[in-house]
Amino acid sequence: MTNPRHIHISDYNYPLPDERIAKFPMAHRDHSKLLIYRKGEVGEDMFYNLPNYLPEGALMVFNNTKVIQARMHFRKETGALIEVFLLEPAEPSDYELMFQTTGYCAWYCLVGNLKKWKEGPLTREIDIKGVKVIVTATRGPIHGTSHRIDFEWDSKEVSFAEIIDAMGELPIPPYLNRETQESDKTTYQTVYSKIKGSVAAPTAGLHFTPEVLQSIDAHGIDREELTLHVGAGTFKPVKSEEIEGHEMHTEYISVRRETIQKLIDHDASAIAVGTTSVRTLESLYYMGLKVLRNLASTEEQLHVSQWEPYDGQESEVGSQDALQALADWMDVHGLQVLHSSTQIIIAPGYDYKIVKLLVTNFHQPQSTLLLLVSAFVKGDWRKIYDYALSHDFRFLSYGDSSLLIP
């Protein structure tokens, strides 16, 4: 596999006028436009016709993460407004346990207006089901680019999920350049979102409706779900000239044992809905390699680091063999669900192991997501983006989408 460390991010730039960025979604999710890229040819259709282009008997994989109301605001006695943006759980570190916890928890957070929060806790009174609850935030040590924030609240009956639902705000992408609206609480979630934890939506999934999902089933296509919690790092621009200088953020994944079996039964091939599903599916291959090399005795040790796919260790291990090794490892450890993490970067030079077709939106210039798309279409991304720009496609999170068949 070619090592992409010295790729110049400036080679992945294109003009994106502000008016081409969709500020709001279509009134009907599945009435967005769908670009079809098939073996070098480009055309278009409406999204509700997507199932017509998918091979019968294929396996389609969706990311069922749910966006949380991660922006929390506190006002100091001086009047200064402090924003605390939840990034990842610190205590407890398990997402599921975190949202059930009562009375106390801690997160790693970005803090806005930090210079105004010199010392002391912040407090805010909120109303939950007619009960007044006092929430306190105490600033802890620096953790990378974030801070540990300890939250306490004076009701053992109230969970942290209820706290953020009452006082949090949904974090829509910064490039929308507008305030979050009530409608975003619905439109910035996929119709199949279930597992709380993301601070950004897996946006390719925003086009699906119950009717499109039913049509996929009617076309004889298998559906499976996995979970990757999208972090704020998804919007982190590549600031280094070469991508070697860009550090990918860690994202937390969970995949059921049955899903891995379904992948094995489908010849380790899948249609991925969104780049988050891609990163999860492709990471599973490298987790299987770790098992085969006896490098993992815990789920944490299955973590896939940024440059791992390019270290020349994959040899001739087939995708099915790697997945089977991972499935067997789960059986030995009595795991029905695999919880681990990935920092994988997918860039030109990457050799896809599992994902054969991809449904994805149109991504920002000079982004790691554009690198992922370029790798998938063997460098042919400009043809796709030139077509989209010249045929009135809408871009980014609330924009239109594409089906890529390399």
Side-chain angles (χ1 to χ4, degrees):
M1 193 180 293
T2 308
N3 195 316
R5 291 172 189 263
H6 301 301
I7 284 174
H8 286 253
I9 195 63
S10 57
D11 292 340
Y12 294 83
N13 201 4
Y14 69 90
L16 179 58
D18 186 64
E19 62 268 18
R20 301 307 296 276
I21 300 172
K23 303 298 191 293
F24 292 93
M26 302 291 289
H28 299 284
R29 291 174 186 252
D30 57 8
H31 282 54
S32 52
K33 289 171 68 162
L34 177 70
L35 181 147
I36 316 286
Y37 172 89
R38 185 161 37 193
K39 303 191 185 309
E41 298 297 314
V42 183
E44 64 179 89
D45 201 336
M46 300 300 288
F47 189 84
Y48 52 72
N49 287 324
L50 169 71
N52 298 335
Y53 298 93
L54 305 179
E56 186 178 345
L59 175 64
M60 197 167 201
V61 180
F62 299 77
N63 180 7
N64 63 13
T65 188
K66 193 178 185 86
V67 185
I68 61 171
Q69 297 187 186
R71 292 186 192 277
M72 302 175 75
H73 293 100
F74 293 85
R75 196 170 290 281
K76 292 194 68 183
E77 291 176 3
T78 59
L81 187 67
I82 310 294
E83 179 179 287
V84 177
F85 189 108
L86 306 173
L87 289 181
E88 67 179 87
E91 188 183 337
S93 58
D94 179 274
Y95 278 88
E96 199 172 335
L97 293 177
M98 168 59 74
F99 294 114
Q100 296 170 8
T101 193
T102 58
Y104 167 83
C105 66
W107 282 73
Y108 298 120
C109 305
L110 297 176
V111 180
N113 209 9
L114 180 64
K115 61 182 183 297
K116 293 290 177 76
W117 188 10
K118 296 281 195 299
E119 58 187 4
L122 303 173
T123 60
R124 179 171 164 186
E125 184 181 281
I126 56 173
D127 185 288
I128 296 179
K129 298 174 188 167
V131 177
K132 293 278 186 281
V133 179
I134 306 292
V135 181
T136 302
T138 305
R139 200 172 104 202
I142 292 173
H143 176 80
T145 57
S146 60
H147 282 81
R148 178 185 166 114
I149 305 294
D150 291 81
F151 296 99
E152 294 180 74
W153 56 101
D154 62 351
S155 173
K156 297 292 185 187
E157 308 301 313
V158 171
S159 69
F160 191 67
E162 292 172 293
I163 296 287
I164 58 170
D165 283 349
M167 70 178 285
E169 183 181 289
L170 202 75
I172 59 171
Y175 48 64
L176 295 184
N177 291 318
R178 65 172 175 82
E179 294 293 312
T180 300
Q181 302 197 3
E182 189 64 25
S183 60
D184 291 308
K185 289 183 180 179
T186 303
T187 58
Y188 197 59
Q189 301 279 15
T190 63
V191 296
Y192 49 80
S193 65
K194 294 178 182 70
I195 314 296
K196 290 183 175 183
S198 279
V199 300
T203 55
L206 296 179
H207 305 274
F208 287 85
T209 58
E211 292 76 20
V212 171
L213 295 175
Q214 286 167 10
S215 179
I216 287 169
D217 295 341
H219 279 73
I221 295 152
D222 249 345
R223 287 192 282 133
E224 273 294 311
E225 295 179 359
L226 42 72
T227 308
L228 178 143
H229 291 312
V230 190
T234 194
F235 300 120
K236 184 181 171 185
V238 180
K239 293 184 175 175
S240 54
E241 188 177 332
E242 295 184 344
I243 64 167
E244 183 173 33
H246 180 77
E247 184 182 358
M248 289 292 285
H249 51 296
T250 296
E251 294 173 305
Y252 295 88
I253 66 175
S254 66
V255 183
R256 294 181 311 129
R257 171 66 176 81
E258 297 119 87
T259 302
I260 294 174
Q261 188 60 51
K262 193 74 78 77
L263 285 164
I264 294 167
D265 294 343
H266 282 80
D267 300 321
S269 299
I271 304 167
V273 176
T275 56
T276 58
S277 296
V278 171
R279 293 200 295 279
T280 308
L281 289 166
E282 294 296 312
S283 294
L284 292 176
Y285 173 82
Y286 293 96
M287 291 178 181
L289 282 193
K290 282 185 193 287
V291 169
L292 287 169
R293 291 187 224 141
N294 295 312
L295 295 176
S297 56
T298 65
E299 290 174 287
E300 290 76 16
Q301 290 171 340
L302 290 172
H303 170 81
V304 179
S305 61
Q306 179 165 335
W307 300 107
E308 207 166 305
Y310 311 96
D311 66 6
Q313 298 285 319
E314 58 186 89
S315 65
E316 296 302 313
V317 177
S319 301
Q320 267 189 300
D321 291 339
L323 290 176
Q324 188 63 59
L326 185 58
D328 293 344
W329 184 91
M330 289 179 68
D331 292 342
V332 167
H333 288 79
L335 298 174
Q336 288 304 308
V337 181
L338 177 71
H339 295 279
S340 195
S341 59
T342 184
Q343 269 183 294
I344 194 170
I345 186 168
I346 296 177
Y350 181 84
D351 180 20
Y352 276 83
K353 302 297 184 186
I354 293 170
V355 179
K356 307 303 183 198
L357 279 74
L358 171 59
V359 178
T360 188
N361 282 19
F362 298 97
H363 306 292
Q364 293 184 83
Q366 302 191 99
S367 64
T368 57
L369 301 182
L370 189 53
L371 293 175
L372 181 153
V373 167
S374 179
F376 193 70
V377 296
K378 305 290 191 289
D380 210 13
W381 70 272
R382 281 196 185 275
K383 179 187 288 185
I384 295 164
Y385 277 65
D386 286 347
Y387 184 98
L389 286 163
S390 61
H391 288 76
D392 295 322
F393 277 72
R394 302 155 78 245
F395 278 62
L396 308 187
S397 294
Y398 274 143
D400 297 314
S401 67
S402 61
L403 170 64
L404 307 180
I405 308 171

